[in-house]
């Protein structure tokens, strides 16, 4: 067995309350590494991709990785993987800290959960095995409160991942969180809530050696030293919020639901401003030397964890410039346990609809912080427009009908992060084609746009290549797992990562094999989506962003034409070895080592009265 | 397809006594500046037309260099070669010589904006002269120019009589608010013919630009960078240096919120807003 792993997953069936080990061969571990890669393989093997994500048979997997538990900086991370109730596709989200280490040291490389508790419960896993206890009064608490309550109840050594009230209510963009960090995107908290599972608590009971501990220690020392260099200065000094003012200066800050790309009041929300005006503390995940978390004091004496994405989504995207309102909204999202990007995106959609007279909510206006907080409260309580907004922008728009879908800015149902695609053409492609939907953590193609190496307004072959490179790198980083904020310290990423993994696992990996691993993981995700109902039309951007010119502050007009996007998407599919139906070469599919046969191409889309075609089970197995 | 920029660098520069393309310009060269101004104004590539084996100063990798094999046939020959090379990249080209130290992107944009479907050439008339080497040409004219050459023509003026030429006087040019603000004296067309011209041009104060630094750069710059700071600098590198930042691999720059570059030779104009960003933006 490879170092750094146990060669088994624990498969829990909540209907019966127990768990069984699932052997993981060395071959599978080497092919998929861990984290997102292994989670994708597990989802293929353990679940029906077409099953309703909120049904009992849906599978939710917590997946660890070979590097977890080593002294390598930023390695204490875990992936949560399931079919998303927001997109109907695969969603994989990462969170950090001690849960990753304790979860792995229960003796498992992954914990996969299916079934449904008959009442709200907490799943405990330690050296005595897996068991359920009553969630008791934690049901209804915020994730942070539930975590604190369970920590006190269970005693030292237990680490807890929990959902908040939004997960319990199956809000489709609810999160799973641990120690204040969220596995945020795609509604994993709703999947857990549908299982009536408030929390998963894990306690370490064993150890796992690396193949070459001395080499790993030396690599850890080297990596730690490099992590203090200029490539991570941004994260250490101001955190990701330092993007905000810079993005505003380069017409890349989506504002008022993507109607403009600059926000006049951006300085009020800027890290450069707030850092000097508020008391700020820094924090870091377990095993991290960077410490990118910047926690700002709030008006009411509390504190808010501040990142670019939550400030963007609850600030400029909704036109809100009052920092107190934005920080309060961010705290409210944390308390409810919802993804700030999808929350902000859905509320911004609702603001557009309210202003266009499509939604009867005259109080909901861009720029109104009080309205933003009220909308979040209604999402939390399920009153007023809350039930509509709980569904995310795509479903809500389909329900509202008329012109409402044209205001919904999402890909595959996942609301866009804070990157304006019309001024970032490599990123536009990355957002359009990524398996998870519009997401900046699975496609970092903006790096190429912002590098100065290619023209960000002139998407073409170089942008396609850049989107593939960054997607591949993300696939490996999210599987081995290292934090992406460390990515800038690697000069030759695949070779250097192969070296780190070899020291831990004992495999004789090289960069070329890891590059193939990346392609395999990307393909495996796409194949899950294909089996779940993906069609080629899903790799596209929303109408607001295509053939809709955007005037820049320089006077130039930025546009992403449908012809240009079509050319880039087609070139991406070809480069990924996919035919027009999204199907790969049979040999590439065989390399995935999946039990399920290669799916048939999707049938031609029929006129579909259902608001979400992705959630209508569509059996598509080649006979 | 976008518009194309064409720079003709042939010619003997006999009065200057040295090739004009290589004249020093605020730490860069006159050719590098001209190419940089064109890159700021056109969407398509920039093409340099040179004599065979003519040494040209270093330019960015994406600049296309084509050889004009026929020596001694004058600018009409260079125009023919340039337009032929440009035809694959765009319908319109702005064509200029390399000796225009005050050429402004707003001038180029105005000239190119004056094309319509009935126009083959946009010919500015400035300071009492036609400006054929600061003018716009339809790239499809290449065969026609070639034909004129075989018939013995040597000067661009002969072309203007036989194609649909739109003449733009100073008033027409300055009706464009952006150009009127950026270059009210239309210095864009002033060329350098001898060492005195060059000395006068070189003595002109560099443009004043507004530099803003973001994120960690604002902090390392030791001042509250997002408010901006006026500095005198002819190139991006000069602007960065003026605020104590070097354009290394951790820094990129955007001009007026537009293209992002690391090219320190990028020419600056009065009123430009230079944003210096961490290259590790994102996340
Ligand atoms: S850089 Fe930030 S997100 Fe990454 S591991 Fe460190 S503290 Fe966590």
């Amino acid at each position: 067995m490879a170092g750094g792993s146990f060669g088994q997953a624990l498969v829990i069936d909540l209907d019966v309350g127990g768990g069984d080990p699932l052997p993981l061969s060395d071959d599978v571990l080497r092919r998929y590494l861990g984290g997102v890669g292994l989670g994708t393989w597990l989802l293929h093997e353990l679940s029906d991709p077409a099953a309703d994500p909120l049904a009992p048979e849906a599978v939710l997997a917590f997946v660890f990785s070979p590097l977890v538990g080593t002294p390598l900086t930023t390695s204490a991370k875990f992936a949560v993987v399931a079919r998303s109730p927001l997109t109907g596709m695969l969603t994989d989200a990462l969170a950090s800290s001690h849960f990753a280490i304790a979860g792995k040291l229960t003796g498992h490389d992954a914990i996969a959960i299916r079934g449904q508790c008959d009442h709200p419960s907490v799943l405990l896993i330690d050296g005595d095995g897996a068991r359920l206890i009553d969630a008791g009064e934690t049901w209804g608490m915020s994730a942070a409160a539930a975590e604190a309550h369970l920590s006190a109840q269970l005693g030292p050594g237990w680490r807890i991942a929990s959902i908040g009230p939004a997960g319990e209510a199956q809000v489709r963009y609810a999160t799973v969180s641990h120690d204040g960090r969220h596995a945020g995107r795609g509604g994993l908290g709703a999947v857990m809530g549908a299982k009536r599972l408030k929390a998963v608590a894990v306690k370490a009971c064993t150890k796992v050696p690396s193949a070459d501990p001395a080499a790993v220690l030396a690599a850890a020392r080297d990596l730690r030293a490099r992590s203090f260099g200029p490539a991570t200065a941004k994260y250490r000094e101001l955190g990701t919020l330092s993007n905000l003012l810079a993005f505003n200066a380069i017409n890349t800050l989506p504002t008022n639901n993507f109607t403009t790309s600059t926000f006049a009041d951006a300085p009020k929300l800027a890290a450069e401003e707030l850092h000097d005006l508020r008391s700020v503390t820094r924090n870091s995940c377990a095993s991290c030397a960077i410490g990118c978390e910047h926690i700002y004091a709030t008006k009411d004496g509390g504190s808010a964890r501040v990142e670019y994405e939550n400030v963007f989504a609850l600030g400029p995207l909704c036109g809100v410039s009052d920092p107190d309102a934005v920080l309060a909204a961010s705290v409210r999202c944390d308390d409810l346990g919802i993804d700030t990007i999808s929350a902000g995106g859905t509320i911004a959609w609702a603001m557009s609809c309210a202003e266009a007279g499509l939604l009867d909510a005259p109080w909901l206006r861009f720029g109104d912080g009080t309205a933003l907080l009220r909308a979040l409260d209604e999402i939390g309580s399920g009153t007023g427009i809350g039930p509509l907004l709980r569904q995310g922008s795509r479903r809500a728009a389909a329900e509202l009908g008329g012109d409402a879908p044209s205001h919904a800015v999402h890909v595959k149902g996942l609301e866009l992060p804070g990157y304006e695609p019309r001024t970032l053409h490599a990123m536009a492609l990355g957002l359009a084609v990524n398996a998870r939907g519009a997401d900046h953590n699975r496609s970092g193609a903006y790096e190429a746009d912002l590098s100065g190496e290619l023209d960000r307004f002139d998407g073409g072959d170089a942008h396609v290549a850049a989107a593939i490179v960054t997607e591949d790198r993300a696939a490996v980083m999210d599987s081995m797992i290292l934090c992406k904020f460390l990515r800038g310290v690697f000069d030759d990423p695949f070779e250097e990562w192969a070296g780190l993994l070899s020291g831990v696992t004992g495999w004789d990996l090289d960069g070329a094999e890891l590059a193939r691993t990346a392609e395999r993981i990307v393909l495996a995700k796409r194949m899950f989506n294909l089996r779940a109902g993906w069609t080629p039309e899903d790799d596209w951007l929303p109408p607001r962003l295509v053939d809709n010119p955007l005037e820049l502050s320089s006077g130039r007009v930025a546009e992403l034409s449908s012809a240009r996007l079509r050319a880039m998407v087609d070139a991406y599919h070809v480069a990924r070895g996919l035919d027009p139906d999204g199907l790969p070469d049979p040999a590439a599919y065989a390399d995935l080592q999946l039990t399920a046969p290669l799916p048939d191409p999707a049938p031609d889309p029929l006129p579909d009265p259902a608001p979400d075609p992705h959630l209508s089970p569509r059996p598509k197995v080649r006979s | 397809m976008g518009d194309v920029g064409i720079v003709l660098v042939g010619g003997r520069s006999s009065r200057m006594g040295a090739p004009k393309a290589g004249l020093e310009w605020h730490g860069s060269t006159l050719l590098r500046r001209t190419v940089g101004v064109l890159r700021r104004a056109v969407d398509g590539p920039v093409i340099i037309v040179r004599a065979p084996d003519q040494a040209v100063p270093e330019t960015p990798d994406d600049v296309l260099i084509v050889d004009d094999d026929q020596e001694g046939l004058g600018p009409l020959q260079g125009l023919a070669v340039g337009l032929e090379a440009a035809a694959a990249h765009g319908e319109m080209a702005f064509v200029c010589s390399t000796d225009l130290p005050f050429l402004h992107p707003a001038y180029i944009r105005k000239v190119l904006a004056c094309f319509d479907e009935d126009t083959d050439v946009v010919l500015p008339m400035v300071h009492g002269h036609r400006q054929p080497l600061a003018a716009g040409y339809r790239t499809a004219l290449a065969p026609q120019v070639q034909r004129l050459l075989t018939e013995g023509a040597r000067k661009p003026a002969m072309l203007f009589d036989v194609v649909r030429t739109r003449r733009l006087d100073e008033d027409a040019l300055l009706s464009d608010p952006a150009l009127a603000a950026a270059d009210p004296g239309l210095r864009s067309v002033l060329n350098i013919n001898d060492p005195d011209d060059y000395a006068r041009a070189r003595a002109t104060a560099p443009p004043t630009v507004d530099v803003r630094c973001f994120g960690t750069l604002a902090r390392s710059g030791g001042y509250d960078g997002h408010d901006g700071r006026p500095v005198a600098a002819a190139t991006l590198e000069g602007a960065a240096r003026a605020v104590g930042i070097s354009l290394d691999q951790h820094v990129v720059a955007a001009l007026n919120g537009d293209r992002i570059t690391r090219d320190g030779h990028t020419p600056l104009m009065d009123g430009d807003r230079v944003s210096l960003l961490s290259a590790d933006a994102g996340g």
Side-chain angles (χ1 to χ4, degrees):
Chain A
M1 180 46 56
S5 67
F6 293 97
Q8 62 175 1
L10 180 63
V11 181
I12 307 279
D13 188 341
L14 297 174
D15 293 329
V16 295
D20 292 312
L22 172 74
L24 299 172
S25 70
D26 203 57
D27 181 48
V28 163
L29 291 172
R30 186 161 175 165
R31 277 169 195 275
Y32 288 101
L33 303 179
V36 164
L38 181 60
T40 303
W41 183 83
L42 283 168
L43 263 278
H44 271 290
E45 295 303 296
L46 296 176
S47 72
D48 171 5
D52 182 344
L54 301 178
E57 63 265 34
V59 171
L60 176 75
F62 291 79
V63 193
F64 311 110
S65 77
L67 302 190
V68 170
T70 68
L72 291 162
T73 188
T74 80
S75 63
K77 289 186 178 278
F78 61 102
V80 191
V81 186
R83 187 186 187 207
S84 163
L86 189 63
T87 68
M89 308 277 174
L90 185 93
T91 193
D92 47 57
L94 301 184
S96 310
S97 235
H98 295 284
F99 183 92
I101 301 169
K104 176 170 168 179
L105 296 184
T106 62
H108 304 99
D109 301 316
I111 299 164
I113 303 167
R114 60 156 72 104
Q116 186 182 47
C117 305
D118 55 15
H119 67 280
S121 303
V122 173
L123 174 64
L124 308 185
I125 304 168
D126 63 1
D128 295 331
R131 59 208 175 274
L132 292 167
I133 61 170
D134 195 293
E137 59 193 290
T138 63
W139 195 255
M141 286 183 180
S142 72
E147 196 174 328
H149 185 96
L150 287 167
S151 280
Q153 178 185 334
L154 297 171
W158 287 93
R159 304 292 182 177
I160 294 136
S162 179
I163 59 172
E168 297 168 13
Q170 300 174 36
V171 175
R172 287 180 185 270
Y173 41 92
T175 64
V176 176
S177 79
H178 163 64
D179 194 20
R181 287 105 179 150
H182 297 261
R185 304 231 66 193
L188 293 154
V191 178
M192 202 157 138
K195 297 185 177 306
R196 301 197 188 103
L197 193 58
K198 178 68 182 180
V200 177
V202 290
K203 186 175 181 181
C205 59
T206 184
K207 289 183 177 167
V208 60
S210 292
D212 185 348
V216 174
L217 193 59
R221 286 206 184 100
D222 171 57
L223 202 55
R224 184 182 158 85
R226 286 151 76 188
S227 76
F228 292 128
T232 58
K234 161 190 161 175
Y235 303 111
R236 282 182 276 119
E237 292 178 20
L238 288 171
T240 56
L241 184 57
S242 62
N243 287 344
L244 191 114
L245 212 48
F247 282 16
N248 190 53
I250 58 171
N251 290 276
T252 293
L253 178 63
T255 297
N256 289 2
N257 199 25
F258 285 83
T259 51
T260 69
S261 59
T262 56
F263 186 48
D265 283 334
K268 290 185 187 166
L269 299 172
E272 294 89 332
E273 285 279 321
L274 296 181
H275 239 260
D276 293 337
L277 295 178
R278 299 185 178 240
S279 88
V280 181
T281 52
R282 267 178 65 205
N283 199 0
S284 67
C285 304
S287 310
C288 172
I290 299 173
C292 71
E293 292 178 12
H294 292 249
I295 300 165
Y296 286 45
T298 55
K299 200 168 67 175
D300 59 4
S303 63
R305 202 180 299 259
V306 169
E307 296 169 21
Y308 168 64
E309 289 296 342
N310 59 354
V311 174
F312 139 74
L314 301 166
L317 190 64
C318 294
V320 176
S321 61
D322 173 4
D324 289 313
V326 174
L327 294 187
S330 186
V331 170
R332 210 157 294 186
C333 287
D334 275 0
D335 287 346
L336 289 170
I338 51 176
D339 171 27
T340 50
I341 302 175
S342 283
T346 303
I347 293 169
W349 163 81
M351 286 173 165
S352 286
C353 291
E355 292 200 344
L358 299 164
L359 177 66
D360 184 18
W363 51 272
L364 191 60
R365 288 290 179 263
F366 283 109
D368 185 341
T370 306
L372 169 69
L373 291 167
R374 176 175 164 184
L376 287 169
D377 284 342
E378 293 192 356
I379 290 169
S381 62
T383 57
I385 60 171
L388 184 72
L389 302 191
R390 284 177 164 194
Q391 305 179 57
S393 61
R394 180 175 68 180
R395 269 190 186 69
E399 184 174 320
L400 203 55
D403 199 28
S406 72
H407 297 282
V409 185
H410 65 84
V411 174
K412 303 180 176 75
L414 193 70
E415 287 74 17
L416 260 76
Y419 297 80
E420 168 55 60
R422 285 168 289 186
T423 63
L424 301 169
H425 282 188
M427 189 59 177
L429 174 65
L431 294 171
V433 298
N434 195 264
R436 184 159 90 158
D439 185 77
H440 60 296
N441 278 320
R442 301 292 172 269
S443 175
Y446 58 82
E447 278 176 24
D449 288 309
L450 301 179
S451 69
E453 312 277 313
L454 45 75
D455 185 346
R456 64 189 175 119
F457 301 105
D458 190 19
D461 292 346
H463 302 68
V464 176
I468 288 173
V469 165
T470 55
E471 193 175 54
D472 281 351
R473 287 183 184 169
V476 170
M477 291 201 94
D478 294 340
S479 300
M480 53 181 179
I481 306 171
L482 284 180
C483 181
K484 285 198 204 70
F485 295 167
L486 199 59
R487 66 192 183 281
V489 311
F490 298 105
D491 296 324
D492 188 357
F494 285 138
E495 282 299 340
E496 292 182 59
W497 298 338
L500 297 177
L501 280 165
S502 294
V504 174
T505 61
W507 298 326
D508 56 342
L509 283 171
D510 60 18
E513 178 174 341
L514 219 45
R516 288 194 300 277
T517 303
E519 290 170 6
R520 182 182 303 119
I521 292 168
V522 170
L523 181 62
K525 291 196 212 185
R526 295 191 70 92
M527 290 303 98
F528 184 92
N529 286 354
L530 198 67
R531 295 176 64 206
W534 175 92
T535 64
E537 296 73 40
D538 289 312
D539 282 1
W540 200 246
L541 289 176
R544 178 153 294 187
L545 306 176
V546 182
D547 293 328
N548 185 16
L550 178 73
E551 185 163 346
L552 308 185
S553 46
S554 66
R556 184 217 280 255
V557 170
E559 182 173 13
L560 182 59
S561 69
S562 47
R564 187 192 290 276
L565 183 59
R566 177 81 273 144
M568 288 201 293
V569 169
D570 288 350
Y572 171 90
H573 287 157
V574 168
R576 285 292 189 199
L578 304 173
D579 74 11
D581 290 316
L583 288 169
D585 180 89
Y589 189 81
D591 176 63
L592 301 181
Q593 300 272 300
L594 302 177
T595 306
L598 181 61
D600 279 338
D604 288 339
L606 298 170
D608 193 348
D612 181 3
H614 301 103
L615 292 180
S616 317
R618 212 188 291 183
K620 295 194 316 175
V621 175
R622 180 171 278 176
S623 54
Chain B
M1 292 202 298
D3 301 319
V4 183
I6 298 174
V7 196
L8 308 183
V9 298
R12 285 189 289 277
S13 306
S14 44
R15 282 163 65 197
M16 176 58 72
K20 293 182 193 174
L23 291 178
E24 192 275 344
W25 193 260
H26 297 281
S28 182
T29 62
L30 210 45
L31 175 65
R32 187 64 194 77
R33 181 188 187 281
T34 307
V35 165
V37 173
L38 284 167
R39 275 156 60 97
R40 289 185 53 174
V42 300
D43 287 332
V46 173
I47 297 171
I48 292 174
V49 181
R50 66 171 182 182
D53 303 326
Q54 179 184 359
V56 292
E58 196 179 330
T59 53
D61 290 343
D62 59 2
V63 171
L64 307 174
I65 299 181
V66 295
D67 288 346
D68 172 4
D69 298 332
Q70 305 280 315
E71 280 193 271
L73 298 187
L76 199 58
Q77 168 65 19
L79 182 65
V81 171
L83 292 179
E84 188 183 351
H89 303 283
E91 279 182 55
M92 320 299 172
F94 181 87
V95 179
C96 65
S97 52
T98 190
D99 59 353
L100 304 174
F102 304 110
L103 180 64
H104 198 289
Y107 174 89
I108 300 169
R109 285 196 203 102
K110 172 62 180 171
V111 169
L112 290 171
C114 288
F115 274 102
D116 58 26
E117 56 188 25
D118 297 321
T119 305
D120 293 320
V121 173
V122 175
L123 179 64
M125 313 284 290
V126 183
H127 304 156
H129 300 285
R130 285 187 296 225
Q131 303 293 341
L133 290 185
Y137 297 82
R138 194 174 281 281
T139 58
L141 289 177
Q144 216 164 334
V145 178
Q146 200 58 58
R147 210 164 32 248
L148 283 174
L149 281 162
T150 33
E151 289 165 5
R154 295 292 175 264
K155 293 191 172 163
M158 306 187 75
L159 174 69
F160 306 142
D161 295 335
V162 295
V163 299
R164 299 168 303 172
T165 299
R166 178 170 178 191
R167 290 173 170 79
L168 284 185
D169 64 15
E170 294 183 13
D171 287 346
L173 285 162
L174 294 174
S175 67
D176 180 89
L179 179 56
D183 185 14
L186 293 173
R187 298 196 314 153
S188 282
V189 302
L190 293 182
N191 63 345
I192 290 175
N193 288 315
D194 55 35
D196 286 345
D197 288 347
Y198 173 55
R200 264 195 304 278
R202 191 62 186 80
T204 308
T208 301
V209 302
D210 177 55
V211 182
R212 293 158 199 242
C213 302
F214 295 93
T216 53
L217 298 180
R219 308 205 131 212
S220 61
Y223 70 102
D224 200 6
H226 73 262
D227 279 344
R229 177 196 274 190
V231 305
T235 63
L236 202 53
E237 190 170 29
R241 204 182 318 117
V243 296
I245 287 172
S246 74
L247 285 176
D248 62 18
Q249 79 267 32
H250 298 292
V251 180
V252 291
L255 281 188
N256 306 317
D258 207 302
R259 284 200 179 112
I260 290 177
T261 182
R262 278 200 174 107
D263 180 0
H265 292 291
T266 303
L268 300 180
M269 310 290 148
D270 267 326
D272 274 341
R273 187 161 44 83
V274 176
S275 301
L276 297 174
L277 322 170
S278 162
D280 307 301

